[in-house]
Amino acid sequence: MKVLVIGGAGYIGSHVVKELMAKGHKVTVFDNLSSGLRENLFPENDFIYGNILLPADLDAAFSQGFDAFIHLAAFKAAGESMVKPEKYSVNNITGTLNILNSAVAHNCLNMVFSSSAAVFGSPEYLPIDEDHPKHPENYYGYTKLSIEEYMTWYSQLKGLHFAALRYFNAAGYDIDGKITGLEQNPANLLPIIMETAVGMRPKMKIFGDDYETRDGTCIRDYVHVNDLASAHVLALEYIASKKENLKLNLGSETGTTVKEMVEAARRITGQAIPADFVERRPGDPANLVATSKLAHEKLGWSAKYSDIDTLIKTTYEVYKKHVEKK
């Protein structure tokens, strides 16, 4: 298939592009490089510099004729979304509507969307399945849920076929070591641990140590970015062939606390990784762990690289290389 990857120069997007290429698809990347990096682009692919907030940019891209597109261009910092909801409204919601309108206008009706476990909010039961009630506790999660609803309407009204992939916590780096661009201003745990491990920041913060968990810190389900990338390609091929929409949870099905992740990183890197406990962040549920049973049933997908040691080792290798270059 000829696939447009919107946000394909970003952390997850670049891994998705690599997997699409490995499966023989022709890829064009569309990105404004606000958080994506030129070093994440592959020379085999076409690149369009464009902005999802400019419909003319999207129309110019989609007019080239694509069989499918993947949307990974949303802002994703849950904490920031609670203090800057307008930023997330404009980029995530308005930007996505612009994408949908351009796509259907140019008859590109197969879509994979980077959704999030943040659509669920605090769990009413664990592990979280696709039918779990959806009550987002942060504005970022609300924007993702809204986009899922827009896609459902566009499916009914315009014939769009879509897969909404609800990641739990994306982490790790390319198993083959070919993608090495660091996330810009990361808000996720593992990059912050690694920045501390290699001396890019003097210490890190752990938000809250009084949650009702086994050690007082939040529990999350971490899934390796290579595993996420394979799910995108499997989902795209599924919806294109079966013309059936999917909403799937993607996780390792294992919960790890913040303290456990920090301790594992200290063990693997041999670094002290100083950390201070601070107040909880608003909108952070105590425990989020997935069941990915439906993804396995529909796509034959499972998390192959999402053990904690692999997540940490692949990330540390990238951060070490960046520090050694300087």
Side-chain angles (χ1 to χ4, degrees), residues 7-164:
Y11 164 59
I12 297 173
S14 56
H15 288 82
V16 171
V17 168
K18 178 173 175 280
E19 182 72 9
L20 283 165
M21 292 164 54
K23 294 299 173 63
H25 299 289
K26 180 171 173 52
V27 180
T28 297
V29 171
F30 180 102
D31 205 299
N32 70 354
L33 301 178
S34 61
S35 59
L37 300 169
R38 287 193 181 274
E39 68 185 279
N40 283 342
L41 298 171
F42 293 90
E44 301 95 318
N45 301 321
D46 292 332
F47 172 62
I48 298 170
Y49 180 86
N51 193 324
I52 63 172
L53 299 181
L54 299 175
D57 286 2
L58 289 163
D59 283 334
F62 277 107
S63 68
Q64 296 183 20
F66 292 96
D67 302 304
F69 67 100
I70 299 178
H71 173 18
L72 304 113
F75 293 146
K76 62 185 181 67
E80 181 188 51
S81 76
M82 298 294 282
V83 295
K84 296 182 178 178
E86 62 280 10
K87 175 180 177 179
Y88 283 69
S89 296
V90 172
N91 186 80
N92 292 11
I93 294 178
T94 304
T96 299
L97 290 172
N98 289 340
I99 291 169
L100 287 169
N101 291 337
S102 290
V104 299
H106 293 280
N107 202 38
C108 184
L109 299 177
N110 296 305
M111 172 183 185
V112 176
F113 172 58
S114 157
S115 192
S116 170
V119 302
F120 296 112
S122 286
E124 296 180 14
Y125 57 84
L126 291 169
I128 296 171
D129 60 20
E130 285 76 8
D131 295 325
H132 187 284
K134 293 156 193 72
H135 303 295
E137 292 192 358
N138 54 63
Y139 192 70
Y140 159 70
Y142 168 77
T143 67
K144 294 284 189 171
L145 184 59
S146 296
I147 292 165
E148 289 192 13
E149 292 171 351
Y150 293 135
M151 291 190 300
T152 301
W153 276 108
Y154 272 66
S155 179
Q156 294 174 19
L157 303 176
K158 293 291 187 178
L160 180 74
H161 309 294
F162 70 86

Side-chain angles (χ1 to χ4, degrees), residues 269-291:
T269 66
Q271 303 298 322
I273 311 180
D276 288 337
F277 289 99
V278 296
E279 293 295 312
R280 296 183 184 188
R281 288 183 303 193
D284 265 351
N287 191 347
L288 290 175
V289 179
T291 172

